[in-house]
Amino acid sequence: AAGVIQSPRHLIKEKRETATLKCYPIPRHDTVYWYQQGPGQDPQFLISFYEKMQSDKGSIPDRFSAQQFSDYHSELNMSSLELGDSALYFCASSLGTGSYQPQHFGDGTRLSIL
Amino acid sequence: ILNVEQSPQSLHVQEGDSTNFTCSFPSSNFYALHWYRWETAKSPEALFVMTLNGDEKKKGRISATLNTKEGYSYLYIKGSQPEDSATYLCASPYSGGGADGLTFGKGTHLIIQP
C-alpha cells in the first residue's frame, strides 16, 4: 500500500540558509500534519492542513511557513535556519479530520544545520 | 499544554513472556488516545485509536485498554517476539475538532531478549 512520501530524506544546510521540505500524503488523504523531533525529544506538532487550508497550529516558529497544494501535497518552508532547527521532520496524513483519525507518518526528513 | 506520560521508559523482556506498559493523560477534556509502534529507522506505525471509556482493541498479539475516567491506557503484548522490539508511543490530540496535532509521550522502549 502507498505510504506518506517525504523528500528529501536528508538535507544539510548552513545557518541563515533556507530549506523546503516536501510531503506527499497517502492517496485520497486530505489532511497533512507536520512534526519536528529534536535529538532525544518526542515529536512536537508544528502545523496541520485540511483541504488546503491551515487547520491547527502548534509550536511552529515564525521563520517557518507551510502550505498544502491542490494535489494535497504539502511543503514546509524554513528560512534563516538556526543550529537548533537540526531535527527530524515528520509529515503525517489522514483521511478527514477528527481526533479519532489515525495519522500515518512518513519516514521523515533529517535536517542538519552546520 | 497536554501532559502525556508513559512508563516505564524502557523495558527488557524475555522472548515468549507477556508484558504491558502504561500511558497516562489528563482525564478532563479527553478526545482520543493514539498508540504507535516505532521501529528504529522506520516511521511510526499507527496501532490503535481509542475514544470510548472501557474500550479494548486488539491487533494480533497486541491489545490496548482505555480508562478515560482515571486517565490511563495500557498496552499489552502477549508472547513477546524479537520483532516486537520497538518504541511504543502514545499520543493525544489537543482538542476534538479540526486536524488536531498530537501531543506525544516520551515512549516506552521495549527490547525483547532471545
Side-chain angles (χ1 to χ4, degrees), chain A residues 9 31 33 35 37 41-43 45 48-50 55-58 88 90 97-107, chain B residues 31-34 36 38 41-46 49 51 89 93-106:
Chain A
R9 289 296 305 274
T31 309
Y33 311 79
Y35 292 86
Q37 186 188 26
Q41 304 292 317
D42 42 289
F45 170 67
S48 63
F49 293 86
Y50 168 64
S55 181
D56 193 12
K57 197 170 180 181
L88 187 58
F90 283 107
T97 61
S99 56
Y100 54 88
Q101 293 288 359
Q103 296 180 20
H104 300 272
F105 284 77
D107 288 339
Chain B
Y31 299 100
L33 196 282
H34 296 233
Y36 287 87
W38 194 1
K42 294 187 179 179
S43 55
E45 173 198 353
V49 180
T51 55
L89 293 168
Y94 296 152
S95 67
D100 303 325
L102 296 173
T103 295
F104 284 86
K106 296 199 180 301

Side-chain angles (χ1 to χ4, degrees), chain B residues 7-27:
Chain B
S7 64
Q9 198 172 10
S10 65
L11 193 52
H12 288 69
V13 174
Q14 207 67 32
E15 182 178 353
D17 287 352
S18 297
T19 187
N20 66 84
F21 30 92
T22 310
C23 173
S24 61
F25 51 86
S27 55

Side-chain angles (χ1 to χ4, degrees), chain B residues 4-88:
Chain B
V4 178
E5 296 184 348
Q6 293 187 246
S7 64
Q9 198 172 10
S10 65
L11 193 52
H12 288 69
V13 174
Q14 207 67 32
E15 182 178 353
D17 287 352
S18 297
T19 187
N20 66 84
F21 30 92
T22 310
C23 173
S24 61
F25 51 86
S27 55
S28 58
N29 297 320
F30 172 81
Y31 299 100
L33 196 282
H34 296 233
W35 279 102
Y36 287 87
R37 180 171 175 275
W38 194 1
E39 285 183 76
T40 304
K42 294 187 179 179
S43 55
E45 173 198 353
L47 289 175
F48 307 112
V49 180
M50 309 178 78
T51 55
L52 298 175
N53 185 45
D55 216 0
E56 181 169 345
K57 296 209 171 180
K58 192 174 179 183
K59 188 176 183 179
R61 294 179 291 99
I62 303 177
S63 61
T65 60
L66 180 68
N67 183 322
T68 61
K69 294 187 178 180
E70 295 182 40
Y72 64 83
S73 174
Y74 290 136
L75 190 81
Y76 298 90
I77 301 179
K78 187 177 176 183
S80 303
Q81 299 297 309
E83 57 265 28
D84 295 329
S85 295
T87 297
Y88 292 82

